[in-house]
Amino acid sequence: YEWVALAPPWDFTSVDPPALSDTDVDVPTYPEDKLRNNIRVFKDAGFKVHLSPQVCCTLVNTTDRDETWWNAWYTELKDFYQFFIDIAIEEGVDAMEIGPTLFGADLPLNPDLPDSINATQEWQEILAIAKSADIPIGFGLSTFSALWEIQPPFLATEVNFYNELDYIGISLW
């Protein structure tokens, strides 16, 4: 084996307005000091480290959310990825995966997004944050097996920033 994948979760401390955190959440998190230590241990042992932070696991209804809510959501998501990119840079992570949350509701193809929200631009800003690490950046798609026909592969043909990625990861569970 040459690679180790770490997927530290954060969750919502509030849904309205949206707020993400690694503290005071229902899902057990991966404390920053433990994550950094684990990265160092694996790197010292000769492994390459793939970081795949996740927003998990509160289900959030995005129907009828207004522009203010979505702007707050994307701000939270950018802060979330900036936090992990900073760790990736400081700890020498070898690759990192970003990806949609809320089961793809924050992607450009969601018909529930207000017209004033440009999800493509928001994800390009998130991608720019991720690419600041100067490591391979992937985009992870997850779906329940029962939803396969309505998620990938249609996501692969509808999202227009994939050409800026180094890889696409698909998790089917």
Side-chain angles (χ1 to χ4, degrees):
Y1 300 103
E2 297 178 13
W3 285 84
V4 171
L6 301 174
W10 278 23
D11 202 356
F12 290 89
T13 56
S14 169
V15 171
D16 199 8
L20 295 172
S21 180
D22 63 339
T23 58
D24 299 323
V25 292
D26 292 335
V27 175
T29 59
Y30 207 144
E32 180 181 354
D33 62 331
K34 301 293 185 198
L35 175 61
R36 286 179 181 273
N37 184 62
N38 281 198
I39 292 170
R40 289 177 197 143
V41 166
F42 287 121
K43 296 290 289 178
D44 290 347
F47 289 95
K48 292 182 180 180
V49 175
H50 177 269
L51 189 59
S52 183
Q54 57 182 313
V55 176
C56 180
C57 291
T58 298
L59 295 177
V60 177
N61 183 353
T62 60
T63 305
D64 298 324
R65 299 290 184 175
D66 63 14
E67 178 181 358
T68 301
W69 191 91
W70 280 105
N71 283 331
W73 165 247
Y74 285 113
T75 296
E76 285 293 303
L77 198 56
K78 289 171 195 172
D79 291 346
F80 169 78
Y81 282 118
Q82 186 65 64
F83 176 83
F84 285 103
I85 282 298
D86 290 344
I87 291 173
I89 292 168
E90 293 164 12
E91 301 299 338
V93 166
D94 300 286
M96 185 166 146
E97 192 170 284
I98 61 175
T101 57
L102 310 175
F103 294 99
D106 50 12
L107 289 175
L109 49 87
N110 182 0
D112 291 335
L113 285 169
D115 291 339
S116 58
I117 299 296
N118 185 337
T120 296
Q121 179 180 334
E122 298 290 349
W123 275 101
Q124 286 173 329
E125 290 175 18
I126 292 167
L127 184 58
I129 290 168
K131 287 206 166 254
S132 70
D134 197 28
I135 58 175
I137 299 296
F139 193 79
L141 301 171
S142 272
T143 187
F144 292 110
S145 59
L147 301 177
W148 176 253
E149 290 185 14
I150 64 167
Q151 289 206 5
F154 90 87
L155 287 176
T157 61
E158 299 286 337
V159 179
N160 59 5
F161 51 85
Y162 283 176
N163 61 332
E164 300 176 46
L165 299 164
D166 298 300
Y167 65 94
I168 296 174
I170 297 177
S171 299
L172 179 62
W173 32 277

